[in-house]
Amino acid sequence: MLEWPTTAQEQARRNAMVAATACAERRADREEVERFLTARGEGPAAPTPPEVAERDDDASARHA
């Protein structure tokens, strides 16, 4: 019982690191697609509305 707070904190930190990594990977993917489309002359992709981006980030965090 005494180890529970430490174990829970460590798990929470691992979850946060996984979520941050997933967000960074998704951001890098979006930037890569935008560069690709710009290079093809199709212009930058339409920006993702913040509520959609937040929902996507929340979903990826739950799957970690």
Side-chain angles (χ1 to χ4, degrees), residues 14-29:
R14 280 191 294 271
N15 290 345
M17 288 174 52
V18 168
T21 301
C23 288
E25 289 171 350
R26 295 184 75 200
R27 182 174 47 250
D29 288 344

Side-chain angles (χ1 to χ4, degrees), residues 34-46:
E34 186 173 328
R35 284 191 304 270
F36 174 78
L37 293 175
T38 300
R40 290 189 52 170
E42 297 178 19

Side-chain angles (χ1 to χ4, degrees), residues 6-17:
T6 303
T7 304
Q9 175 65 23
E10 289 172 352
Q11 184 63 47
R13 285 189 355 211
R14 280 191 294 271
N15 290 345
M17 288 174 52

